Amino acid sequence: NCGIASITASQTNFDCSNVGANSVTLTVTDNNGNVSTCSTTVTVQDTIAPTAICQPVTVQLDASGNASIVAADIDGGSSDNCSIASLSASQTSFDCSNVGVNAVVLTVTDASGNTSTCSTTVTVQDTIAPNAICQPVTAYLDASGNTSITATDIDGGSNDNCGIASIAASTTSFDCSNVGPNNVILTVTDNNGNVSTCSTT
């Protein structure tokens, strides 16, 4: 009735720790020193999405033909004005069918539910050579003094984490000059070009 001298708020500055509803008291003082207060709510919102930063990564398949990553492996330093709540990758498990370059999306979520994404590549490599296993074989000359074998004849169960593409023997044809033991090398090549050898007779 005689004029207001001042109005003050109990809180005027807010940060990430205040996201949500905050109770604030307004104090009103008139020109004669009389004071009244009322309470209200200041709702603080974080509407700024995080900055998603990706980095590429290379992984090697294990002996069983599998590899995996976690989202942090492809995170290149993502940031947020408040805090990052979670990271997730669109693909984390890989097998022989994924050898090569794979596009993967990183999703970054902050504490207020804002999200950002970025894309990167996960390069899957098969660096494990096949397990070449040989077995001996006896071949009998025919009436014309010749005989032959195939690579399969001297293969004793060669195997690989991602499959065998081919097997080859260093010698497959024999004649009278070869009577007796002959050293033959089996070359095993897997589906990704890794090679192993073994020797047999």
Side-chain angles (χ1 to χ4, degrees), residues 21-98:
N22 300 268
S23 180
V24 177
T25 300
L26 181 71
T27 300
V28 182
T29 305
D30 72 11
N31 288 322
N32 295 299
N34 300 300
V35 177
S36 290
T37 62
C38 61
S39 293
T40 189
T41 301
V42 175
T43 302
V44 177
Q45 296 178 335
D46 170 23
T47 59
I48 298 176
T51 300
I53 302 173
C54 284
Q55 66 179 2
V57 67
T58 299
V59 295
Q60 282 78 37
L61 297 173
D62 61 19
S64 60
N66 295 296
S68 63
I69 63 167
V70 294
D73 294 331
I74 58 171
D75 178 38
S78 300
S79 61
D80 185 69
N81 61 330
C82 284
S83 63
I84 293 174
S86 66
L87 301 171
S88 64
S90 59
Q91 184 176 358
T92 57
S93 297
F94 304 88
D95 59 26
C96 296
S97 67
N98 303 118

Side-chain angles (χ1 to χ4, degrees), residues 90-183:
S90 59
Q91 184 176 358
T92 57
S93 297
F94 304 88
D95 59 26
C96 296
S97 67
N98 303 118
V99 169
V101 178
N102 302 268
V104 178
V105 176
L106 176 70
T107 300
V108 182
T109 305
D110 70 12
S112 295
N114 302 301
T115 62
S116 290
T117 61
C118 58
S119 294
T120 188
T121 56
V122 175
T123 301
V124 177
Q125 296 177 336
D126 171 24
T127 58
I128 298 177
N131 183 23
I133 302 172
C134 284
Q135 66 181 0
V137 66
T138 299
Y140 297 93
L141 296 173
D142 61 18
S144 60
N146 295 293
T147 191
S148 64
I149 64 166
T150 65
T152 303
D153 293 330
I154 60 170
D155 178 34
S158 301
N159 55 78
D160 184 74
N161 62 335
C162 284
I164 293 173
S166 66
I167 56 174
S170 58
T171 307
T172 57
S173 296
F174 304 89
D175 58 25
C176 295
S177 66
N178 302 117
V179 170
N182 296 267
N183 186 54

